[in-house]
Amino acid sequence: MIINKYKLLQNLEETYCIIGRSKVQGVGVIAIRDIPKGTNPLPITTPEKLINLTEEDLKTLPKEVVSRVKELFIRSNEVYSVSSLGLNGLGIIGYMNHSKDPNTALNIHAYTSGYIPWVTIRDIKKGEELFWDYTTCYGDNLLNQFKFLK
């Protein structure tokens, strides 16, 4: 029990954002405190297991589900790395809205065993909404798509 309490307190210490009202599109990810540039605003202590799904695998699913998987999970090397919890396990990340002028990106340089952490690409003020550019996750060559991290 002490270990779980410690992990919870550590998680809360690293909490920067909540799901809140977006000025852009209904619901979004909102900073509840200032977040310095270079910070992972959405840390997870233990990454969920990711399972690689091919286009062939996706053909067995309802088209509405396939559409969301392709929108929300990263395709690299011709597979989508999908959380073992599927769409139901997205949590706060699933509420981050798109912008062509984002303030966060995936930190491909910190990739570890199927988990790519987020990083702020500029300082974010308390109350500000977090955005990322959805178009950076299409295709199979992620390293060339992250212009913000060069």
Side-chain angles (χ1 to χ4, degrees):
M1 177 112 119
I2 293 173
I3 293 172
N4 291 337
K5 189 175 192 178
Y6 172 77
K7 284 184 179 181
L8 172 60
L9 290 170
Q10 182 180 11
N11 178 285
L12 291 171
E13 175 71 26
E14 296 173 352
T15 299
Y16 292 96
C17 309
I18 60 167
I19 298 169
R21 184 173 301 180
S22 169
K23 294 177 182 173
V24 175
Q25 186 168 343
V27 178
V29 177
I30 311 299
I32 60 171
R33 59 186 181 139
D34 291 347
I35 311 170
K37 178 180 178 177
T39 300
N40 180 352
L42 304 169
I44 48 179
T45 335
T46 308
E48 298 171 11
K49 182 175 179 173
L50 296 176
I51 299 171
N52 291 330
L53 297 179
T54 65
E55 292 287 344
E56 194 65 30
D57 294 326
L58 295 179
K59 287 180 183 177
T60 66
L61 300 172
K63 65 180 180 183
E64 298 85 356
V65 173
V66 171
S67 164
R68 294 300 288 164
V69 166
K70 288 182 175 185
E71 286 176 11
L72 297 169
F73 292 100
I74 297 166
R75 185 177 124 193
S76 181
N77 299 321
E78 299 184 15
V79 296
Y80 294 90
S81 296
V82 179
S83 160
S84 60
L85 299 174
L87 296 174
N88 295 327
L90 285 176
I92 195 169
I93 293 169
Y95 292 93
M96 197 179 308
N97 288 316
H98 166 75
S99 173
K100 287 305 252 172
D101 184 27
N103 51 17
T104 69
L106 290 169
N107 188 353
I108 193 71
H109 303 297
Y111 173 86
T112 57
S113 63
Y115 171 65
I116 303 173
W118 293 91
V119 64
T120 52
I121 56 178
R122 64 169 178 75
D123 291 340
I124 297 173
K125 295 290 182 194
K126 177 180 176 177
E128 189 176 344
E129 183 169 357
L130 279 68
F131 294 99
W132 70 293
D133 183 350
Y134 292 176
T135 64
T136 60
C137 289
Y138 293 116
D140 289 316
N141 190 355
L142 285 174
L143 288 175
N144 291 330
Q145 294 182 27
F146 293 94
K147 61 186 175 200
F148 304 109
L149 300 174
K150 291 181 180 177

